[in-house]
């Protein structure tokens, strides 16, 4: 019976609760909705859906599924039970295997099947299973890390097939217990029988050269390896004391050359090296890494310090960008020279500046201006006026949801050197704010890494309150156990994600902080409460010194820091920043529209000490010599007959970025281009119109309120909505009732609609190709005429199938969309 039809019957017999659990675990099965159980089974057997399901399996589940795949045959219906798997998995028990098989059946990755022919009465009473047919394509050519059989290697490797008979003859003459052969397939079976016994293989390896065991240990998890000149070195049965382990193994067929540089460890050799088991180590308990410890106080202080520093640097970055936007390269992103300028202004490293710029951009604090191709501060930015804990949550929410990975800035471009050279990027690195830092799976991986950090922290919690120090190796070890199919994704991102989490205070002193644990379990309000309680309040004063400097005794209020950066130059790193006053810095403040009285009044209001006389003289003297005539640029003017509206706009802090100046009761001028001025006014809820040559903006009132750009994080949803599940179940049950009543129609002669018919046809084709079986195809030509032909399918790929016509003894290629239906015959070609 077809595997898809068998799975369809099993799904139809399930309860609604079982189907709900299936849709929760595999939401893609009902996206889009399916019309009946046949289509549901077809989608559950699809390669892409099975691949997604395997990514959620842990290591014991994958080990059981791979072993089941290796000891069953979906073409002949050779099923297996938990007792069969127990003999092939070292350390497994029936009590451990049966729940795993039941879980795999609940996920529709395996289904119940009839026992194999000839099974005894006791074994026939056990539950037997078969995996879904597409598992062959998803699981790869090396399931459980084992290679292919000698017979398969002979069939697929012509070079090995040509020499295998001679190889077996040489081994027989040398005294090996190998039966001589006359055909490549007989020789393959002889080698397979010779290497099947673990005891016989160990006795043979006892005579091998030194380091042979160490070499074979490298094939413990993967069957293929790199060996220079593999095919040439396998041509002679080498003997003597100078023979190396590679030549010794190749000469005896224990390694099979694939090409000039790669070899494969055959299946029987790999199983024998594992003591006759497919899985040599099986446990339901995840590995417990050895972790260091840090005090809770040190963890908290480090996390709070990182948060305060990130917020301070983000504020300084926005000020720097307002003064001079970040220009982009022609190829996209911000170049190293521009990032070096930003890093010097912030007094941090280039890599740290790149990560910070990425964080501000993904949080919406920076935006790309399409007219100037430069990164500028977003207009009407709500973030600047928020309390510090809410500023932090804004950044964290944006980071969790973003598909960008800030830590990739400065990393080498992915791809081979040849591919990079072809694109003209050989030796290049990823630029900040470029497309190369995009990773679509970043939110899922980021969320899973935080969950693993929380799991390890809870498991290793010490009684004295110390916190475990977690590193990338510990996270990867747990990730490799919980989701081995996603281990490669984790390995490429985990180091960077940990660095980003530390910058945001989710990790402190190498340990998951309390606010990090709250974010990991999706409790942002708890994190805000903890942060509001422990994060020191921003200071609103500085200490003015007689050497023309101001010392910040801690983290300053963003508004105070902003004004200080306007009239002075920041020096040093960390919270205790030194602001140095000079003629140039004071003149910069005067150019911005300040006067000496306003500067001195500001300093008196925000200084814990009196204004030193040298600083007062510097400001007054610079102001006295500052030009009284002012020259400025007016990029646009704003005109309105409503003087009250213009006055409100002039005094609106959100419009400060336009640099508005009133030159008449009904006219304001701005250095900003008319398009930018109009865009900002629309963001304020006004309705401007650009007229004339593009420099005039006509303003009228509007009642529209500007919306908030504050990001709100929503965790990647892993289960569909209950209402959608109820609707899908109703459709399935209705279709099942109509099918039972005999009223369900079919298309294409299969008795099942579209999606199921396609999958059933592909299943029949692929099975016929593997078994070299004839099929009967109903084919439609370009004129719509249908003909039935008996052919032998050879290969299917890219929407086409290559077939051999026995009657005409010719091969031809058919488009799959012209095939109405396919029926398998029982005749097998000999």
């Amino acid at each position: 019976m077809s595997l898809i039809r068998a799975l369809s019957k099993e799904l139809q017999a399930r309860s609604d609760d079982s189907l709900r659990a299936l849709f929760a675990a595999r939401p893609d099965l009902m996206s889009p909705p399916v019309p009946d159980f046949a289509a549901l089974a077809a989608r559950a057997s699809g390669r892409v859906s099975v691949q997604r399901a395997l990514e959620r399996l842990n290591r014991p589940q994958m080990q059981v599924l791979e072993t089941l795949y290796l000891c069953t045959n979906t073409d002949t219906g050779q099923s297996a039970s938990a007792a069969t798997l127990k003999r092939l998995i070292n350390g497994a028990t029936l009590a451990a295997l049966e729940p795993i098989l039941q879980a795999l059946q609940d996920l529709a990755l395996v289904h119940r099947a009839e026992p194999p022919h000839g099974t005894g009465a006791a074994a026939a009473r056990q539950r037997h299973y078969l995996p879904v047919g597409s598992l062959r394509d998803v699981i790869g050519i090396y399931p459980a890390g084992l290679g292919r059989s000698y017979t398969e290697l002979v069939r697929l490797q012509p070079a090995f097939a040509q020499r295998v008979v001679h190889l077996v003859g040489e081994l027989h003459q040398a005294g090996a217990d190998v039966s001589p052969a006359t055909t490549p397939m007989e020789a393959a079976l002889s080698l397979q029988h010779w290497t099947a016994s673990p005891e016989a293989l160990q006795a043979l390896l006892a005579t091998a050269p030194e380091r042979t065991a160490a070499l074979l240990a490298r094939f413990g998890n993967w069957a293929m390896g790199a060996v220079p000149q593999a095919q040439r070195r396998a041509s002679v049965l080498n003997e003597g004391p100078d023979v190396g382990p590679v030549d010794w193994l190749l000469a005896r067929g224990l390694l099979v050359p694939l090409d000039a540089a790669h070899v494969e460890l055959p299946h029987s050799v790999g199983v024998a090296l594992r003591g006759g088991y497919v899985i040599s180590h099986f446990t339901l308990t995840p590995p417990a890494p050895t972790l260091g410890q840090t005090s809770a106080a040190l963890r908290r202080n480090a996390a709070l310090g990182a948060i305060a520093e990130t917020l301070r640097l983000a504020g300084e970055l926005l000020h720097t960008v307002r003064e001079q936007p970040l220009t982009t390269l022609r190829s996209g992103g911000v170049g190293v020279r521009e990032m070096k300028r930003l890093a010097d202004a912030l007094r941090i490293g280039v890599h740290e500046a790149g990560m910070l710029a990425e964080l501000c951009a993904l949080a919406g604090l920076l935006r790309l201006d399409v007219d100037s191709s430069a990164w500028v501060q977003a207009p009407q930015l709500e973030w600047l006026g928020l309390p510090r804990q809410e500023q932090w949550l804004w950044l964290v929410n944006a980071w969790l949801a973003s598909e960008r990975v800030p830590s990739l800035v400065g990393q080498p471009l992915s791809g081979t050197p040849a591919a990079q050279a072809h694109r003209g990027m050989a030796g290049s690195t990823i630029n900040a704010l470029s497309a190369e830092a995009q990773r679509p799976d970043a939110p899922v991986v980021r969320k899973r890494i935080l969950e693993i950090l929380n799991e390890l922290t809870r498991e290793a919690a010490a009684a004295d309150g110390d916190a475990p120090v977690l590193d990338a190796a510990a996270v990867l070890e747990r990730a490799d156990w919980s989701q081995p199919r996603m281990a490669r994704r984790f390995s490429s991102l985990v180091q960077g994600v940990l660095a980003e989490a530390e910058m945001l205070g989710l990790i402190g002193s190498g340990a998951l902080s309390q606010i990090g644990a709250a974010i990991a379990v999706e409790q942002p309000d708890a994190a805000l409460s903890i942060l509001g309680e422990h994060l020191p309040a921003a200071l609103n004063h500085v200490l003015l010194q007689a050497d023309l400097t101001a010392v910040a005794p801690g983290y300053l209020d963003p508004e105070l820091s902003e004004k200080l950066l306007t009239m002075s130059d920041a020096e040093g790193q960390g919270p205790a920043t030194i602001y140095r006053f000079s003629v140039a810095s004071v003149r910069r403040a005067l150019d911005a529209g300040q006067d000496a009285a306003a500067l001195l009044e500001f300093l008196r209001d925000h200084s814990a000490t009196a204004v030193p006389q040298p600083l007062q003289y510097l400001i007054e003297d610079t102001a006295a010599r500052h030009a009284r005539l002012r020259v400025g640029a007016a990029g646009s003017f704003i005109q309105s007959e409503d003087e009250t509206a213009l006055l409100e706009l002039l005094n609106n802090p959100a419009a400060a970025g336009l640099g508005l100046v009133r030159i008449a009761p009904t006219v304001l001028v701005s250095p900003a281009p008319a398009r930018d001025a109009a865009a900002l006014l629309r963001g304020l809820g006004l309705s401007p119109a650009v007229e004339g040559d593009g420099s005039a903006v006509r303003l009228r009132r509007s009642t529209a309120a500007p919306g908030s750009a504050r990001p709100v994080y929503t965790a990647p949803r892993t289960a569909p909505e209950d209402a959608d599940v109820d609707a899908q179940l109703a459709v399935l049950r209705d279709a099942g009732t109509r099918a039972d009543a005999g009223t369900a129609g079919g298309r294409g002669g299969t008795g099942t609609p579209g999606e199921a018919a396609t999958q059933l046809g592909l299943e029949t084709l692929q099975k016929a190709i593997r078994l070299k079986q004839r099929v009967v195809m109903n084919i439609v030509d370009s004129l719509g005429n249908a003909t039935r032909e008996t052919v032998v399918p050879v290969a299917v790929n890219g929407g086409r199938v290559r077939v051999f016509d026995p009657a005409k003894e010719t091969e031809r290629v058919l488009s799959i969309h012209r095939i109405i239906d396919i029926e398998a015959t029982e005749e097998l070609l000999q």
Side-chain angles (χ1 to χ4, degrees):
M1 175 186 256
S2 163
L3 295 176
I4 294 179
R5 294 187 187 278
L7 181 58
S8 174
K9 289 186 176 182
E10 182 177 290
L11 292 173
Q12 187 171 2
R14 290 192 183 190
S15 65
D16 285 356
D17 290 340
S18 176
L19 290 174
R20 289 180 188 277
L22 174 63
F23 291 139
R26 299 179 65 178
D28 59 295
L29 296 186
M30 52 171 289
S31 178
V34 290
D36 55 23
F37 283 102
L40 177 62
R43 189 175 296 178
S45 302
R47 183 180 60 83
V48 175
S49 181
V50 171
Q51 184 171 338
R52 290 174 179 170
L54 295 191
E55 290 178 350
R56 300 184 180 96
L57 300 185
N58 59 31
R59 185 184 297 167
Q61 291 172 327
M62 278 301 305
Q63 288 175 334
V64 171
L65 186 60
E66 289 174 327
T67 306
L68 180 69
Y69 166 77
L70 287 172
C71 64
T72 58
N73 190 319
T74 55
D75 294 333
T76 61
Q78 177 74 26
S79 59
S81 64
T84 306
L85 300 181
K86 179 178 178 295
R87 294 192 293 269
L88 299 174
I89 302 177
N90 187 25
T93 62
L94 292 178
L97 293 176
E98 288 175 350
I100 292 179
L101 286 169
Q102 182 61 51
L104 295 175
Q105 183 181 2
D106 293 341
L107 290 171
L109 294 173
V110 305
H111 59 86
R112 294 286 297 275
E114 294 295 326
H117 295 295
T119 303
R125 289 193 295 268
Q126 299 173 354
R127 292 188 292 269
H128 287 72
Y129 300 89
L130 278 175
V132 293
S134 60
L135 189 64
R136 180 190 307 271
D137 302 323
V138 176
I139 212 166
I141 62 174
Y142 299 136
L146 293 171
R148 293 165 289 185
S149 64
Y150 279 108
T151 55
E152 192 172 2
L153 288 169
V154 163
R155 184 169 56 87
L156 298 176
Q157 296 294 129
F160 180 62
Q162 291 176 3
R163 61 176 292 268
V164 67
V165 175
H166 179 68
L167 170 64
V168 169
E170 286 187 329
L171 290 172
H172 181 73
Q173 292 179 1
D177 187 16
V178 182
S179 302
T182 57
T183 65
M185 194 57 66
E186 289 180 0
L189 293 172
S190 295
L191 289 175
Q192 202 160 292
H193 177 75
W194 180 50
T195 57
S197 170
E199 295 77 14
L201 184 61
Q202 291 301 325
L204 176 63
L205 293 177
T207 64
E210 295 182 3
R211 304 187 306 278
T212 301
L215 175 65
L216 290 174
R218 298 181 183 179
F219 293 88
N221 296 320
W222 198 244
M224 188 178 68
V227 172
Q229 302 178 348
Q231 290 178 334
R232 185 182 64 82
R233 297 168 70 172
S235 59
V236 180
L237 183 62
N238 296 308
E239 298 286 357
D242 297 333
V243 175
V246 174
D247 295 326
W248 191 88
L249 293 169
L250 285 170
R252 285 155 181 79
L254 302 181
L255 288 179
V256 175
L258 301 178
D259 52 35
H262 296 89
V263 296
E264 181 174 324
L265 189 76
H267 178 89
S268 57
V269 180
V271 172
L273 289 174
R274 297 179 183 185
Y277 296 103
V278 170
I279 304 297
S280 57
H281 178 70
F282 179 83
T283 178
L284 299 178
T285 305
T290 303
L291 305 174
Q293 297 287 325
T294 187
S295 67
L298 186 60
R299 175 187 63 176
R300 182 183 65 251
N301 293 339
L304 294 176
I307 292 171
E309 182 71 359
T310 297
L311 296 179
R312 181 185 72 83
L313 289 173
E316 284 199 25
L317 182 144
L318 294 177
H319 171 80
T320 303
V321 171
R322 280 198 301 273
E323 295 293 324
Q324 184 176 351
L326 295 173
T327 58
T328 59
L329 298 171
R330 187 177 303 174
S331 59
V334 179
V336 176
R337 181 176 300 177
E338 190 73 352
M339 291 310 303
K340 179 68 166 57
R341 178 185 66 80
L342 179 64
D344 291 342
L346 300 179
R347 305 169 306 284
I348 57 178
V350 175
H351 179 67
E352 290 76 11
M355 288 182 60
L356 188 66
E358 283 278 350
L359 182 63
C360 290
L362 63 86
L365 310 186
L366 297 178
R367 69 172 180 85
L368 182 63
D369 181 61
V370 295
D371 294 325
S372 61
S373 295
W375 286 89
V376 300
Q377 178 187 309
Q380 195 185 356
L381 188 55
E382 178 189 359
W383 185 84
L384 291 171
L386 293 176
R388 290 208 296 168
Q389 61 267 29
E390 293 189 24
Q391 287 183 334
W392 169 83
L393 185 61
W394 178 309
L395 296 178
V396 170
N397 282 341
W399 174 72
L400 288 171
S402 175
E403 294 185 353
R404 296 192 62 81
V405 182
S407 56
L408 290 179
V409 173
Q411 300 297 320
L413 282 166
S414 60
T416 63
Q420 294 176 10
H422 177 70
R423 297 195 303 263
M425 299 183 295
S428 298
T429 57
I430 296 177
N431 290 322
L433 305 174
S434 65
E436 285 77 15
Q438 197 86 4
R439 293 292 186 275
D441 59 343
V444 176
V445 173
R446 196 178 285 131
K447 180 178 185 295
R448 184 63 189 127
I449 288 176
L450 288 178
E451 291 173 346
I452 290 175
L453 291 173
N454 194 37
E455 292 171 10
L456 294 174
T457 300
R458 291 201 314 267
E459 293 173 6
D464 56 3
D466 286 350
V469 176
L470 305 167
D471 55 11
V475 174
L476 281 176
E477 186 180 27
R478 176 57 58 88
D480 186 54
W481 187 89
S482 60
Q483 290 177 280
R485 298 276 298 187
M486 290 188 66
R488 181 171 296 180
R489 298 189 196 179
F490 282 103
S491 63
S492 63
L493 295 179
V494 62
Q495 196 76 47
V497 170
L498 294 180
E500 295 160 12
E502 189 165 9
M503 183 174 70
L504 291 169
L506 304 177
I507 294 176
S509 190
L512 185 69
S513 63
Q514 286 182 301
I515 56 176
I519 293 297
V521 296
E522 301 178 23
Q523 295 180 354
D525 291 338
L528 271 182
S529 177
I530 296 171
L531 194 58
E533 180 182 353
H534 293 97
L535 187 64
L539 299 178
N540 201 31
H541 69 276
V542 294
L543 304 175
L544 294 176
Q545 307 291 320
D547 60 351
L548 301 181
T549 61
V551 178
Y555 293 99
L556 298 181
D557 181 87
E559 184 177 355
L560 173 58
S561 176
E562 171 79 15
K563 292 185 177 179
L564 280 173
L565 288 171
T566 303
M567 65 179 70
S568 62
D569 298 313
E571 298 178 352
Q573 296 179 342
T577 305
I578 297 175
Y579 298 88
R580 185 171 299 279
F581 298 90
S582 64
V583 173
S585 67
V586 173
R587 185 182 295 121
R588 186 171 64 235
L590 296 173
D591 290 339
Q594 301 290 326
D595 56 28
L599 293 178
L600 290 173
E601 182 181 2
F602 170 78
L603 292 176
R604 293 190 188 100
D605 291 342
H606 296 89
S607 175
T609 58
V611 177
Q613 194 175 56
L615 178 58
Q616 182 176 346
Y617 286 168
L618 172 68
I619 294 175
E620 291 176 346
D621 184 60
T622 304
R625 291 184 286 108
H626 192 258
R628 295 187 179 275
L629 292 177
R630 301 180 62 84
V631 179
S636 61
F637 67 88
I638 303 173
Q639 187 273 332
S640 176
E641 298 303 326
D642 189 343
E643 297 183 18
T644 304
L646 286 183
L647 187 60
E648 291 177 358
L649 178 62
L650 185 63
N651 295 323
N652 191 339
L658 291 179
L660 297 174
V661 177
R662 191 176 188 181
I663 62 174
T666 59
V667 180
L668 303 177
V669 296
S670 169
R675 182 180 300 177
D676 291 352
L680 189 142
L681 294 178
R682 292 188 186 101
L684 294 177
L686 302 172
S687 300
V690 180
E691 298 181 358
D693 59 356
S695 62
V697 180
R698 309 296 177 184
L699 184 64
R700 58 180 180 271
R701 288 186 179 272
S702 173
T703 57
S708 173
R710 186 181 306 193
V712 178
Y713 170 67
T714 302
R717 188 167 182 84
T718 56
E721 298 286 351
D722 291 341
D724 295 337
V725 175
D726 291 339
Q728 178 64 87
L729 289 176
V731 171
L732 290 174
R733 294 306 183 194
D734 180 64
T737 302
R738 288 188 288 106
D740 292 340
T743 60
R747 287 189 306 177
T750 62
T752 55
E755 185 174 357
T758 301
Q759 290 293 337
L760 283 167
L762 289 175
E763 181 186 47
T764 303
L765 273 178
Q766 292 165 347
K767 181 177 179 180
I769 291 171
R770 290 191 297 269
L771 298 179
K772 299 182 180 180
Q773 185 179 9
R774 297 187 183 191
V775 297
V776 178
M777 292 184 177
N778 194 357
I779 306 171
V780 177
D781 61 18
S782 58
L783 299 178
N785 301 316
T787 58
R788 291 175 62 84
E789 300 183 26
T790 301
V791 295
V792 180
V794 178
V796 57
N797 187 29
R800 297 186 177 185
V801 55
R802 184 161 58 93
V803 300
F804 173 74
D805 190 337
K808 300 178 181 178
E809 295 187 350
T810 59
E811 281 192 3
R812 57 195 175 113
V813 176
L814 302 173
S815 296
I816 291 181
H817 72 272
R818 293 192 180 277
I819 303 173
I820 298 178
D821 60 17
I822 305 170
E823 297 178 5
T825 64
E826 297 299 324
E827 179 185 359
L828 295 180
L829 299 183
Q830 301 298 326

